[in-house]
Amino acid sequence: MQLSVNLNKVALLRNSRGGTNPSPLVAARTALEAGAYGITLHWREDNRHTLQSDVRDIRALCKEHGCEFNLEGDLREELIALACEIVPEQVTLVPVTPGEITSDHGWSLPEDAAHVAPAVQRLKAAGSRVSAFVDPGAARLDSLVSVGVDRIEIYTEPYAAAFGTPQEDAALLEVKRTAEEAARLGLGVNAGHDLDLRNLPRLAREVPQIVEVSIGHALVADALYLGLTETVRRYLEATRGEAPEAPCTA
Ligand code: PXP
């Protein structure tokens, strides 16, 4: 399981003062040098965290390091046009509801497959792999195959919310079933949202179809206590199913 570090929260902290510190670029370099497989940025229309300049800078950095850059976002033209220009190794298409605090649902299938199809064609023609965000338990993954999507990213918030409760097994089973169905259809499987040092090891051990996880909020929060290099090291352990010590959360 590969680890892509999402640096939106570093950008958010920087933007809160309007300067250049902390720098997503410096954080990206640190994460890659610590062994992360790649870097993820979600560029939203309101520019509340990642800016277009971050996307360009980190694209270049990942190229220099021979690492994967994963650009997340919706279908708006400025994002698809930028992606076609800079050609991230992976573009993850995510449905965005105006006003949402963070992504909170996957595409509705099969209806949205036709909706994402033109962007998928353009991104693939430019040379990017395309992933689509889906809910655990999503039906009709075949509709994504038929428009050329390469991977799905399973929304893991329901599993994370159930972790440590009597619903944990059932929530994990939904993720597993979705991953198995995707693999059967020839889709690669990513996962993300609300993953942390506590819930990641079980996911890594029990859903072997997952190729890549992208993790932001909890990883950046842990880095406040542990430092980014040590934090990435512990998340890498967790991606191998080991259970590293996690900092207190309250
Ligand atoms: N995947 C998607 C599609 C997201 O929008 C986000 C948040 O930007 C993540 C994964 C990472 O979630 P988290 O910040 O909770 O680790």
Side-chain angles (χ1 to χ4, degrees):
M1 180 187 277
Q2 296 153 345
L3 172 66
S4 187
V5 175
N6 177 319
L7 292 173
N8 285 348
K9 289 290 153 74
V10 175
L12 186 72
L13 192 56
R14 175 205 53 200
N15 296 355
S16 69
R17 277 293 170 97
T20 56
N21 190 40
S23 158
L25 187 64
V26 175
R29 194 177 293 124
T30 306
L32 293 175
E33 284 171 1
Y37 179 79
I39 301 295
T40 293
L41 292 177
H42 188 155
W43 179 35
R44 287 180 177 269
E45 192 168 17
D46 61 12
N47 287 308
R48 67 176 183 250
H49 35 57
T50 291
L51 306 176
Q52 185 181 140
S53 52
D54 297 321
V55 174
R56 290 185 182 278
D57 289 350
I58 287 179
R59 192 308 143 262
L61 181 80
C62 287
K63 207 172 247 176
E64 237 172 70
H65 281 250
C67 292
E68 182 192 275
F69 177 46
N70 175 40
L71 177 63
E72 290 177 355
D74 56 7
L75 297 173
R76 69 188 195 281
E77 177 55 28
E78 66 169 350
L79 185 139
I80 302 301
L82 178 64
C84 289
E85 180 198 329
I86 64 172
V87 195
E89 282 73 24
Q90 178 171 272
V91 178
T92 301
L93 298 174
V94 184
V96 169
T97 308
E100 69 187 12
I101 292 174
T102 184
S103 312
D104 58 8
H105 61 285
W107 295 104
S108 297
L109 302 176
E111 313 83 84
D112 279 342
H115 195 199
V116 301
V120 175
Q121 279 167 18
R122 286 171 65 192
L123 293 165
K124 292 192 63 166
S128 293
R129 177 171 70 237
V130 180
S131 179
F133 199 47
V134 302
D135 295 316
R140 297 296 312 275
L141 296 179
D142 61 296
S143 62
L144 292 174
V145 176
S146 60
V147 298
V149 166
D150 303 292
R151 288 193 191 178
I152 56 163
E153 179 184 329
I154 303 175
Y155 177 45
T156 45
E157 192 275 345
Y159 162 67
F163 191 79
T165 76
Q167 287 76 44
E168 178 180 329
D169 286 353
L172 184 66
L173 191 60
E174 285 287 271
V175 175
K176 261 183 173 183
R177 286 201 180 123
T178 310
E180 283 164 4
E181 171 66 358
R184 193 185 66 76
L185 292 165
L187 288 162
V189 180
N190 297 339
H193 226 284
D194 290 296
L195 295 176
D196 63 20
L197 285 174
R198 292 180 177 81
N199 59 35
L200 182 57
R202 185 173 184 201
L203 188 75
R205 286 193 302 271
E206 298 194 27
V207 193
Q209 293 84 3
I210 298 175
V211 177
E212 177 179 315
V213 283
S214 65
I215 308 183
H217 182 85
L219 190 154
V220 172
D222 290 344
L224 293 176
Y225 309 121
L226 302 173
L228 187 53
T229 299
E230 173 62 15
T231 301
V232 168
R233 195 189 66 69
R234 291 194 197 186
Y235 275 81
L236 288 171
E237 272 181 42
T239 61
R240 295 190 292 268
E242 298 157 28
E245 195 187 334
C248 290
T249 52

